[in-house]
Short mmCIF file of all heavy atoms in Angstrom, two decimals:
data_model
loop_
_atom_site.label_atom_id
_atom_site.label_comp_id
_atom_site.label_asym_id
_atom_site.label_seq_id
_atom_site.Cartn_x
_atom_site.Cartn_y
_atom_site.Cartn_z
N MET A 1 120.07 307.77 244.83
CA MET A 1 118.77 308.08 244.45
C MET A 1 118.26 307.04 243.43
O MET A 1 119.16 306.76 242.50
CB MET A 1 118.73 309.51 243.93
CG MET A 1 117.26 309.84 243.39
SD MET A 1 117.08 311.67 243.22
CE MET A 1 116.80 312.15 244.79
N THR A 2 116.98 306.58 243.39
CA THR A 2 116.51 305.78 242.36
C THR A 2 115.50 306.55 241.68
O THR A 2 114.57 307.16 242.10
CB THR A 2 115.81 304.60 243.09
OG1 THR A 2 116.77 303.73 243.80
CG2 THR A 2 115.29 303.59 241.97
N LEU A 3 115.66 306.55 240.31
CA LEU A 3 114.87 307.16 239.36
C LEU A 3 114.09 306.05 238.63
O LEU A 3 114.57 305.00 238.51
CB LEU A 3 115.55 308.03 238.32
CG LEU A 3 116.47 309.07 238.84
CD1 LEU A 3 117.27 309.51 237.63
CD2 LEU A 3 115.72 310.16 239.54
N GLU A 4 112.64 306.39 238.28
CA GLU A 4 111.92 305.38 237.58
C GLU A 4 111.00 306.07 236.59
O GLU A 4 110.53 307.11 236.91
CB GLU A 4 111.05 304.49 238.50
CG GLU A 4 110.34 303.57 237.80
CD GLU A 4 109.49 302.59 238.68
OE1 GLU A 4 109.84 302.64 239.84
OE2 GLU A 4 108.77 301.83 238.17
N ASN A 5 110.94 305.57 235.41
CA ASN A 5 110.21 305.99 234.31
C ASN A 5 108.72 305.38 234.45
O ASN A 5 108.52 304.35 234.15
CB ASN A 5 110.70 305.79 232.95
CG ASN A 5 109.81 306.17 231.76
OD1 ASN A 5 108.79 306.70 232.03
ND2 ASN A 5 110.27 305.85 230.66
N HIS A 6 107.86 306.25 234.95
CA HIS A 6 106.50 305.69 235.11
C HIS A 6 105.54 305.81 233.96
O HIS A 6 104.31 305.44 233.84
CB HIS A 6 105.79 306.55 236.21
CG HIS A 6 106.48 306.24 237.68
ND1 HIS A 6 106.27 305.20 238.31
CD2 HIS A 6 107.17 306.99 238.38
CE1 HIS A 6 106.88 305.16 239.40
NE2 HIS A 6 107.53 306.38 239.46
N GLY A 7 106.13 306.31 232.89
CA GLY A 7 105.42 306.45 231.52
C GLY A 7 105.49 305.17 230.71
O GLY A 7 105.99 304.25 230.97
N ASN A 8 104.80 305.39 229.54
CA ASN A 8 104.79 304.21 228.57
C ASN A 8 105.65 304.33 227.35
O ASN A 8 105.61 303.53 226.37
CB ASN A 8 103.30 304.00 228.16
CG ASN A 8 102.54 303.50 229.27
OD1 ASN A 8 102.80 302.70 230.12
ND2 ASN A 8 101.17 304.07 229.38
N ILE A 9 106.52 305.42 227.33
CA ILE A 9 107.57 305.52 226.29
C ILE A 9 108.87 305.80 226.97
O ILE A 9 108.92 306.40 227.96
CB ILE A 9 107.02 306.84 225.31
CG1 ILE A 9 106.93 308.13 226.16
CG2 ILE A 9 105.84 306.49 224.68
CD1 ILE A 9 106.80 309.31 225.28
N PRO A 10 109.99 305.60 226.27
CA PRO A 10 111.24 305.87 226.89
C PRO A 10 111.42 307.28 227.21
O PRO A 10 111.00 308.29 226.52
CB PRO A 10 112.26 305.50 225.68
CG PRO A 10 111.45 304.49 224.93
CD PRO A 10 110.05 304.97 224.88
N ALA A 11 112.00 307.49 228.26
CA ALA A 11 112.36 308.95 228.70
C ALA A 11 113.93 309.16 228.15
O ALA A 11 114.87 308.48 228.63
CB ALA A 11 112.42 309.04 230.24
N LEU A 12 114.05 309.93 227.20
CA LEU A 12 115.41 310.20 226.44
C LEU A 12 116.19 311.38 227.08
O LEU A 12 115.59 312.40 227.26
CB LEU A 12 115.02 310.49 225.00
CG LEU A 12 114.15 309.43 224.30
CD1 LEU A 12 113.83 309.84 222.94
CD2 LEU A 12 114.97 307.99 224.27
N ALA A 13 117.49 311.13 227.14
CA ALA A 13 118.34 312.16 227.52
C ALA A 13 118.08 312.88 228.80
O ALA A 13 118.06 314.21 228.81
CB ALA A 13 118.62 313.15 226.37
N THR A 14 117.63 312.22 229.82
CA THR A 14 117.26 312.69 231.04
C THR A 14 118.45 313.25 231.85
O THR A 14 119.31 312.57 232.09
CB THR A 14 116.51 311.72 231.95
OG1 THR A 14 115.32 311.30 231.25
CG2 THR A 14 115.92 312.36 233.31
N LYS A 15 118.43 314.52 232.03
CA LYS A 15 119.72 315.30 232.70
C LYS A 15 119.36 315.51 234.10
O LYS A 15 118.27 315.96 234.46
CB LYS A 15 120.00 316.54 231.91
CG LYS A 15 121.30 317.11 232.55
CD LYS A 15 121.69 318.40 231.73
CE LYS A 15 122.89 319.01 232.13
NZ LYS A 15 123.26 318.85 233.60
N LEU A 16 120.36 315.36 235.02
CA LEU A 16 120.19 315.60 236.36
C LEU A 16 121.09 316.77 236.66
O LEU A 16 122.28 316.85 236.22
CB LEU A 16 120.71 314.34 237.15
CG LEU A 16 120.05 313.05 236.80
CD1 LEU A 16 120.75 311.88 237.62
CD2 LEU A 16 118.61 312.98 237.02
N THR A 17 120.53 317.67 237.50
CA THR A 17 121.33 318.86 237.91
C THR A 17 121.02 319.06 239.48
O THR A 17 119.82 319.25 239.88
CB THR A 17 120.92 320.15 237.15
OG1 THR A 17 121.13 319.83 235.76
CG2 THR A 17 121.79 321.30 237.56
N VAL A 18 122.04 319.07 240.22
CA VAL A 18 121.91 319.43 241.66
C VAL A 18 121.85 320.87 241.95
O VAL A 18 122.86 321.45 241.44
CB VAL A 18 122.92 318.58 242.55
CG1 VAL A 18 122.80 319.02 244.06
CG2 VAL A 18 122.66 317.06 242.44
N VAL A 19 120.94 321.39 242.70
CA VAL A 19 120.84 322.91 242.99
C VAL A 19 120.73 322.97 244.54
O VAL A 19 120.24 322.01 245.26
CB VAL A 19 119.86 323.59 242.26
CG1 VAL A 19 120.09 323.43 240.80
CG2 VAL A 19 118.49 323.00 242.52
N ASP A 20 120.90 324.24 245.11
CA ASP A 20 120.56 324.57 246.46
C ASP A 20 119.01 324.88 246.53
O ASP A 20 118.42 324.94 245.42
CB ASP A 20 121.55 325.61 247.01
CG ASP A 20 121.36 326.98 246.37
OD1 ASP A 20 120.42 327.19 245.52
OD2 ASP A 20 122.26 327.82 246.55
N SER A 21 118.67 325.34 247.71
CA SER A 21 117.18 325.63 247.83
C SER A 21 116.78 326.87 247.07
O SER A 21 115.54 327.01 246.78
CB SER A 21 116.77 325.86 249.33
OG SER A 21 117.71 326.85 249.81
N SER A 22 117.82 327.72 246.61
CA SER A 22 117.35 328.92 245.81
C SER A 22 117.47 328.55 244.33
O SER A 22 117.21 329.46 243.36
CB SER A 22 118.27 330.07 246.24
OG SER A 22 119.62 329.83 245.78
N GLY A 23 117.86 327.48 243.97
CA GLY A 23 117.94 327.00 242.44
C GLY A 23 119.36 327.27 241.92
O GLY A 23 119.59 326.95 240.75
N LYS A 24 120.35 327.57 242.70
CA LYS A 24 121.62 327.81 242.20
C LYS A 24 122.39 326.44 242.03
O LYS A 24 122.44 325.67 243.05
CB LYS A 24 122.48 328.70 243.13
CG LYS A 24 123.88 329.00 242.65
CD LYS A 24 124.53 329.95 243.73
CE LYS A 24 125.98 330.04 243.22
NZ LYS A 24 126.85 330.72 244.35
N ARG A 25 122.86 326.22 240.95
CA ARG A 25 123.59 324.96 240.66
C ARG A 25 124.85 324.75 241.60
O ARG A 25 125.66 325.76 241.78
CB ARG A 25 124.12 325.05 239.28
CG ARG A 25 124.72 323.67 238.68
CD ARG A 25 124.97 323.67 237.35
NE ARG A 25 125.50 322.42 236.82
CZ ARG A 25 126.03 322.12 235.80
NH1 ARG A 25 126.20 323.05 234.85
NH2 ARG A 25 126.64 321.00 235.49
N GLN A 26 124.92 323.58 242.14
CA GLN A 26 126.17 323.32 243.06
C GLN A 26 127.12 322.48 242.14
O GLN A 26 126.92 321.65 241.42
CB GLN A 26 125.55 322.30 244.08
CG GLN A 26 124.65 323.09 244.92
CD GLN A 26 125.30 324.24 245.71
OE1 GLN A 26 126.05 324.09 246.67
NE2 GLN A 26 124.87 325.44 245.44
N LEU A 27 128.44 322.94 242.42
CA LEU A 27 129.55 322.27 241.70
C LEU A 27 130.71 322.20 242.69
O LEU A 27 130.87 322.96 243.53
CB LEU A 27 129.95 323.27 240.47
CG LEU A 27 129.01 323.41 239.29
CD1 LEU A 27 129.47 324.50 238.42
CD2 LEU A 27 128.80 322.12 238.72
N PRO A 28 131.53 321.14 242.47
CA PRO A 28 131.38 320.07 241.60
C PRO A 28 130.48 318.99 242.17
O PRO A 28 130.58 318.79 243.38
CB PRO A 28 132.78 319.59 241.51
CG PRO A 28 133.46 319.92 242.76
CD PRO A 28 132.80 321.15 243.25
N VAL A 29 129.73 318.32 241.47
CA VAL A 29 128.89 317.32 241.79
C VAL A 29 129.19 316.24 240.88
O VAL A 29 129.30 316.31 239.64
CB VAL A 29 127.33 317.63 241.68
CG1 VAL A 29 126.56 316.36 241.95
CG2 VAL A 29 127.04 318.77 242.69
N LEU A 30 129.42 314.96 241.49
CA LEU A 30 129.76 313.74 240.71
C LEU A 30 128.54 312.88 240.67
O LEU A 30 127.81 312.56 241.70
CB LEU A 30 130.87 313.09 241.23
CG LEU A 30 132.20 313.85 241.34
CD1 LEU A 30 133.21 312.96 242.11
CD2 LEU A 30 132.67 314.16 239.99
N TYR A 31 128.18 312.42 239.56
CA TYR A 31 127.02 311.51 239.33
C TYR A 31 127.43 310.13 238.81
O TYR A 31 128.47 310.16 237.84
CB TYR A 31 126.12 312.17 238.18
CG TYR A 31 125.52 313.45 238.51
CD1 TYR A 31 126.25 314.58 238.04
CD2 TYR A 31 124.38 313.67 239.07
CE1 TYR A 31 125.85 315.86 238.32
CE2 TYR A 31 123.89 314.98 239.30
CZ TYR A 31 124.62 315.95 238.85
OH TYR A 31 124.11 317.23 239.11
N SER A 32 127.04 308.97 239.19
CA SER A 32 127.39 307.66 238.76
C SER A 32 126.81 307.57 237.31
O SER A 32 127.38 306.76 236.59
CB SER A 32 126.89 306.55 239.65
OG SER A 32 125.53 306.57 239.74
N ASP A 33 125.76 308.28 237.04
CA ASP A 33 125.26 308.33 235.55
C ASP A 33 124.52 309.55 235.44
O ASP A 33 124.02 310.11 236.32
CB ASP A 33 124.29 307.14 235.39
CG ASP A 33 124.06 306.64 234.00
OD1 ASP A 33 124.47 307.34 233.05
OD2 ASP A 33 123.42 305.64 233.79
N ASN A 34 124.44 310.07 234.25
CA ASN A 34 123.72 311.33 233.92
C ASN A 34 123.41 311.30 232.38
O ASN A 34 123.95 310.42 231.69
CB ASN A 34 124.59 312.57 234.26
CG ASN A 34 123.81 313.74 234.40
OD1 ASN A 34 122.52 313.79 234.15
ND2 ASN A 34 124.43 314.89 235.01
N TYR A 35 122.41 312.04 231.94
CA TYR A 35 121.88 312.02 230.63
C TYR A 35 121.39 310.60 230.39
O TYR A 35 121.92 309.88 229.54
CB TYR A 35 122.91 312.47 229.61
CG TYR A 35 123.17 313.88 229.50
CD1 TYR A 35 124.32 314.49 230.06
CD2 TYR A 35 122.18 314.71 228.86
CE1 TYR A 35 124.42 315.81 229.95
CE2 TYR A 35 122.43 316.13 228.83
CZ TYR A 35 123.53 316.67 229.38
OH TYR A 35 123.72 318.05 229.27
N LEU A 36 120.50 310.21 231.27
CA LEU A 36 119.99 308.83 231.19
C LEU A 36 118.83 308.62 230.21
O LEU A 36 118.11 309.49 229.89
CB LEU A 36 119.32 308.45 232.58
CG LEU A 36 120.17 308.83 233.83
CD1 LEU A 36 119.20 308.69 235.06
CD2 LEU A 36 121.32 307.81 233.97
N THR A 37 118.95 307.39 229.64
CA THR A 37 117.58 306.98 228.89
C THR A 37 116.99 305.84 229.71
O THR A 37 117.66 304.89 230.12
CB THR A 37 117.91 306.51 227.44
OG1 THR A 37 118.54 307.59 226.82
CG2 THR A 37 116.81 305.91 226.78
N LEU A 38 115.68 306.14 229.97
CA LEU A 38 115.03 305.18 230.90
C LEU A 38 113.85 304.49 230.04
O LEU A 38 112.95 305.25 229.49
CB LEU A 38 114.43 305.72 232.17
CG LEU A 38 115.50 306.11 233.16
CD1 LEU A 38 114.86 306.98 234.22
CD2 LEU A 38 116.17 305.06 233.75
N LEU A 39 113.90 303.20 229.91
CA LEU A 39 112.77 302.45 229.32
C LEU A 39 111.40 302.66 230.19
O LEU A 39 111.54 302.95 231.36
CB LEU A 39 113.12 301.05 228.86
CG LEU A 39 114.26 300.87 227.99
CD1 LEU A 39 114.44 299.53 227.81
CD2 LEU A 39 113.85 301.58 226.50
N PRO A 40 110.24 302.40 229.50
CA PRO A 40 109.10 302.50 230.24
C PRO A 40 109.19 301.56 231.57
O PRO A 40 109.63 300.43 231.46
CB PRO A 40 108.01 301.85 229.41
CG PRO A 40 108.56 302.29 228.00
CD PRO A 40 109.99 302.10 228.14
N HIS A 41 108.86 302.10 232.73
CA HIS A 41 108.82 301.50 234.03
C HIS A 41 110.17 300.91 234.50
O HIS A 41 110.24 300.09 235.41
CB HIS A 41 107.83 300.29 233.99
CG HIS A 41 106.40 300.72 233.50
ND1 HIS A 41 105.64 301.53 234.15
CD2 HIS A 41 105.78 300.51 232.27
CE1 HIS A 41 104.50 301.93 233.47
NE2 HIS A 41 104.59 301.34 232.23
N GLU A 42 111.21 301.38 233.89
CA GLU A 42 112.61 301.01 234.27
C GLU A 42 113.15 301.81 235.49
O GLU A 42 113.10 303.21 235.33
CB GLU A 42 113.62 301.22 233.19
CG GLU A 42 115.05 300.80 233.55
CD GLU A 42 116.06 301.27 232.37
OE1 GLU A 42 115.62 301.81 231.41
OE2 GLU A 42 117.14 300.90 232.50
N PRO A 43 113.55 301.23 236.42
CA PRO A 43 114.16 301.98 237.61
C PRO A 43 115.69 302.01 237.34
O PRO A 43 116.29 301.12 236.67
CB PRO A 43 113.92 301.20 238.85
CG PRO A 43 113.73 299.80 238.32
CD PRO A 43 113.23 299.84 236.90
N ARG A 44 116.27 303.04 237.82
CA ARG A 44 117.77 303.10 237.74
C ARG A 44 118.34 303.79 239.04
O ARG A 44 117.89 304.92 239.34
CB ARG A 44 118.23 303.97 236.57
CG ARG A 44 119.62 304.31 236.41
CD ARG A 44 120.50 303.27 235.50
NE ARG A 44 119.78 302.90 234.31
CZ ARG A 44 119.92 303.57 233.06
NH1 ARG A 44 120.85 304.59 232.97
NH2 ARG A 44 119.27 303.27 232.08
N LYS A 45 119.33 303.21 239.68
CA LYS A 45 119.90 303.75 240.88
C LYS A 45 121.04 304.76 240.31
O LYS A 45 121.84 304.38 239.66
CB LYS A 45 120.44 302.78 241.85
CG LYS A 45 121.01 303.30 243.14
CD LYS A 45 121.52 302.24 243.97
CE LYS A 45 122.05 302.83 245.27
NZ LYS A 45 122.41 301.88 246.21
N VAL A 46 121.14 306.05 240.82
CA VAL A 46 122.04 306.93 240.70
C VAL A 46 122.71 307.39 241.90
O VAL A 46 122.04 307.94 242.78
CB VAL A 46 121.59 308.17 239.77
CG1 VAL A 46 122.73 309.11 239.37
CG2 VAL A 46 120.84 307.65 238.41
N GLU A 47 124.11 307.35 242.00
CA GLU A 47 124.83 307.89 243.21
C GLU A 47 125.02 309.35 242.87
O GLU A 47 125.69 309.59 241.73
CB GLU A 47 125.97 307.08 243.54
CG GLU A 47 125.64 305.60 244.01
CD GLU A 47 126.85 304.76 244.41
OE1 GLU A 47 127.85 305.54 245.00
OE2 GLU A 47 126.78 303.59 244.46
N ILE A 48 125.02 310.18 243.81
CA ILE A 48 125.32 311.65 243.62
C ILE A 48 126.11 312.03 244.83
O ILE A 48 125.81 311.84 246.03
CB ILE A 48 123.94 312.50 243.74
CG1 ILE A 48 123.07 311.98 242.58
CG2 ILE A 48 124.28 313.92 243.49
CD1 ILE A 48 121.69 312.63 242.63
N HIS A 49 127.25 312.51 244.44
CA HIS A 49 128.20 313.00 245.50
C HIS A 49 128.33 314.53 245.38
O HIS A 49 128.86 315.07 244.32
CB HIS A 49 129.57 312.34 245.34
CG HIS A 49 129.51 310.85 245.43
ND1 HIS A 49 129.71 310.16 246.54
CD2 HIS A 49 129.34 309.92 244.52
CE1 HIS A 49 129.43 308.86 246.42
NE2 HIS A 49 129.37 308.61 245.12
N CYS A 50 127.93 315.16 246.52
CA CYS A 50 127.97 316.67 246.52
C CYS A 50 129.21 317.18 247.18
O CYS A 50 129.80 316.46 247.84
CB CYS A 50 126.71 317.21 247.24
SG CYS A 50 125.28 316.94 246.44
N PRO A 51 129.68 318.37 246.84
CA PRO A 51 130.89 318.98 247.42
C PRO A 51 130.61 319.04 248.95
O PRO A 51 129.64 319.29 249.49
CB PRO A 51 131.02 320.37 246.72
CG PRO A 51 129.58 320.69 246.28
CD PRO A 51 129.03 319.38 245.98
N VAL A 52 131.79 318.83 249.58
CA VAL A 52 131.74 319.09 251.04
C VAL A 52 131.41 320.53 251.34
O VAL A 52 131.93 321.46 250.77
CB VAL A 52 133.32 318.76 251.61
CG1 VAL A 52 133.25 319.10 253.24
CG2 VAL A 52 133.63 317.35 251.38
N GLY A 53 130.46 320.71 252.24
CA GLY A 53 129.92 321.99 252.58
C GLY A 53 128.96 322.56 251.62
O GLY A 53 128.41 323.66 251.76
N GLY A 54 128.65 321.79 250.57
CA GLY A 54 127.67 322.27 249.60
C GLY A 54 126.22 322.15 250.02
O GLY A 54 126.00 321.55 251.06
N GLN A 55 125.41 322.87 249.46
CA GLN A 55 123.92 322.97 249.85
C GLN A 55 123.24 322.22 248.66
O GLN A 55 122.43 322.86 248.08
CB GLN A 55 123.54 324.36 250.06
CG GLN A 55 124.26 325.14 251.08
CD GLN A 55 124.00 324.64 252.49
OE1 GLN A 55 123.00 324.23 252.86
NE2 GLN A 55 125.10 324.60 253.10
N CYS A 56 123.38 320.87 248.74
CA CYS A 56 122.70 320.19 247.72
C CYS A 56 121.28 319.67 248.13
O CYS A 56 121.23 318.68 248.81
CB CYS A 56 123.58 318.92 247.32
SG CYS A 56 125.21 319.33 246.74
N SER A 57 120.32 320.59 247.82
CA SER A 57 118.99 320.25 248.59
C SER A 57 118.10 319.86 247.50
O SER A 57 117.04 319.30 247.88
CB SER A 57 118.51 321.41 249.34
OG SER A 57 118.44 322.53 248.42
N GLN A 58 118.13 319.97 246.13
CA GLN A 58 117.19 319.61 245.23
C GLN A 58 117.89 319.09 243.99
O GLN A 58 118.96 319.38 243.64
CB GLN A 58 116.30 320.85 244.70
CG GLN A 58 115.51 321.43 245.93
CD GLN A 58 114.69 322.70 245.47
OE1 GLN A 58 115.21 323.45 244.63
NE2 GLN A 58 113.58 322.84 246.05
N LEU A 59 117.13 318.17 243.25
CA LEU A 59 117.54 317.67 242.04
C LEU A 59 116.68 318.07 240.98
O LEU A 59 115.43 317.84 241.13
CB LEU A 59 117.68 316.05 242.15
CG LEU A 59 118.05 315.35 240.89
CD1 LEU A 59 119.67 315.57 240.62
CD2 LEU A 59 117.90 313.94 241.09
N GLN A 60 117.20 318.82 239.90
CA GLN A 60 116.31 319.08 238.82
C GLN A 60 116.56 318.00 237.73
O GLN A 60 117.53 317.57 237.32
CB GLN A 60 116.81 320.40 238.23
CG GLN A 60 116.49 321.63 238.95
CD GLN A 60 117.13 322.92 238.58
OE1 GLN A 60 117.99 322.86 237.60
NE2 GLN A 60 116.66 323.93 239.03
N LEU A 61 115.37 317.62 237.06
CA LEU A 61 115.35 316.56 236.01
C LEU A 61 114.61 317.31 234.76
O LEU A 61 113.73 317.99 234.83
CB LEU A 61 114.45 315.37 236.38
CG LEU A 61 115.04 314.69 237.70
CD1 LEU A 61 114.07 314.81 238.77
CD2 LEU A 61 115.12 313.10 237.23
N ARG A 62 115.36 317.11 233.67
CA ARG A 62 114.81 317.49 232.45
C ARG A 62 115.40 316.54 231.36
O ARG A 62 116.28 315.86 231.53
CB ARG A 62 115.13 318.90 232.04
CG ARG A 62 116.58 319.22 231.90
CD ARG A 62 116.81 320.76 231.70
NE ARG A 62 118.26 321.12 231.47
CZ ARG A 62 119.21 321.27 232.27
NH1 ARG A 62 118.84 321.22 233.63
NH2 ARG A 62 120.37 321.66 231.88
N GLY A 63 114.70 316.59 230.21
CA GLY A 63 115.19 315.80 229.07
C GLY A 63 114.46 316.01 227.85
O GLY A 63 113.53 316.89 227.69
N TRP A 64 114.78 315.23 226.84
CA TRP A 64 114.29 315.39 225.44
C TRP A 64 112.71 315.46 225.53
O TRP A 64 112.08 316.25 224.96
CB TRP A 64 114.76 314.40 224.57
CG TRP A 64 114.28 314.40 223.07
CD1 TRP A 64 113.26 313.72 222.51
CD2 TRP A 64 114.84 315.33 222.16
NE1 TRP A 64 113.07 313.99 221.30
CE2 TRP A 64 114.02 315.19 220.92
CE3 TRP A 64 115.82 316.41 222.10
CZ2 TRP A 64 114.28 315.85 219.83
CZ3 TRP A 64 116.03 317.09 220.93
CH2 TRP A 64 115.19 316.87 219.81
N ASN A 65 112.10 314.34 226.06
CA ASN A 65 110.71 314.19 226.21
C ASN A 65 110.21 313.91 227.60
O ASN A 65 109.34 313.12 228.03
CB ASN A 65 110.12 313.02 225.26
CG ASN A 65 110.77 311.67 225.71
OD1 ASN A 65 111.74 311.69 226.46
ND2 ASN A 65 110.02 310.69 225.33
N VAL A 66 110.91 314.57 228.54
CA VAL A 66 110.73 314.53 229.98
C VAL A 66 110.08 315.81 230.58
O VAL A 66 110.46 316.86 230.25
CB VAL A 66 111.99 314.25 230.73
CG1 VAL A 66 111.88 314.23 232.20
CG2 VAL A 66 112.72 312.94 230.27
N VAL A 67 108.92 315.61 231.23
CA VAL A 67 108.40 316.83 231.89
C VAL A 67 109.40 317.19 233.01
O VAL A 67 109.77 316.49 233.87
CB VAL A 67 107.04 316.54 232.60
CG1 VAL A 67 106.51 317.60 233.33
CG2 VAL A 67 106.12 316.01 231.57
N PRO A 68 109.83 318.54 232.90
CA PRO A 68 110.82 319.10 233.98
C PRO A 68 110.25 318.95 235.40
O PRO A 68 109.00 319.06 235.50
CB PRO A 68 110.96 320.46 233.54
CG PRO A 68 110.67 320.57 232.23
CD PRO A 68 109.60 319.57 231.89
N ALA A 69 111.09 318.50 236.18
CA ALA A 69 110.55 318.27 237.69
C ALA A 69 111.70 318.70 238.65
O ALA A 69 113.03 318.68 238.33
CB ALA A 69 110.32 316.89 237.92
N VAL A 70 111.41 318.88 239.79
CA VAL A 70 112.28 319.18 240.90
C VAL A 70 112.01 318.23 242.05
O VAL A 70 110.96 318.18 242.53
CB VAL A 70 112.27 320.72 241.38
CG1 VAL A 70 113.24 320.94 242.52
CG2 VAL A 70 112.64 321.68 240.24
N VAL A 71 112.97 317.60 242.68
CA VAL A 71 112.83 316.70 243.68
C VAL A 71 113.81 317.05 244.81
O VAL A 71 114.97 317.33 244.68
CB VAL A 71 113.27 315.31 243.18
CG1 VAL A 71 113.10 314.25 244.21
CG2 VAL A 71 112.54 314.88 242.03
N ASN A 72 113.19 317.09 246.01
CA ASN A 72 114.01 317.30 247.26
C ASN A 72 114.88 316.15 247.50
O ASN A 72 114.42 315.00 247.42
CB ASN A 72 113.25 317.70 248.36
CG ASN A 72 112.42 319.06 248.28
OD1 ASN A 72 113.00 319.87 247.76
ND2 ASN A 72 111.21 319.10 248.84
N ILE A 73 116.13 316.36 247.88
CA ILE A 73 117.02 315.33 248.21
C ILE A 73 117.60 315.45 249.62
O ILE A 73 117.62 316.57 250.13
CB ILE A 73 118.16 315.11 247.12
CG1 ILE A 73 118.96 316.48 247.06
CG2 ILE A 73 117.66 314.65 245.82
CD1 ILE A 73 120.24 316.27 246.17
N ALA A 74 118.04 314.31 250.29
CA ALA A 74 118.54 314.46 251.63
C ALA A 74 119.98 313.80 251.54
O ALA A 74 120.28 312.90 250.75
CB ALA A 74 117.66 313.70 252.61
N ALA A 75 120.88 314.32 252.37
CA ALA A 75 122.08 313.74 252.46
C ALA A 75 122.11 312.39 253.05
O ALA A 75 121.27 311.95 253.82
CB ALA A 75 122.96 314.67 253.42
N ALA A 76 123.10 311.59 252.65
CA ALA A 76 123.28 310.16 253.22
C ALA A 76 123.20 310.09 254.73
O ALA A 76 123.91 311.01 255.28
CB ALA A 76 124.40 309.42 252.59
N GLY A 77 122.59 309.32 255.19
CA GLY A 77 122.48 309.18 256.76
C GLY A 77 121.40 310.13 257.38
O GLY A 77 121.33 310.16 258.59
N SER A 78 120.72 310.80 256.58
CA SER A 78 119.74 311.77 257.05
C SER A 78 118.37 311.01 257.30
O SER A 78 118.11 310.06 256.71
CB SER A 78 119.41 312.87 256.06
OG SER A 78 120.57 313.71 255.97
#
């Protein structure tokens, strides 16, 4: 997944959390990076590996000065 800060100030301590469609956290999930700081207009590619048989359907984003958001995700090859 590629994240990008579309704002004009750094996005501090942006945390990623994978959940199922009902909002239940999925574990274990491995992230290539987490608790990110993104400079203005900076893109960052993050690899997310979900458990086999897991229902990893959404990514929750939150952070120090980040507007919380939920993004739908699709499995690789979908």
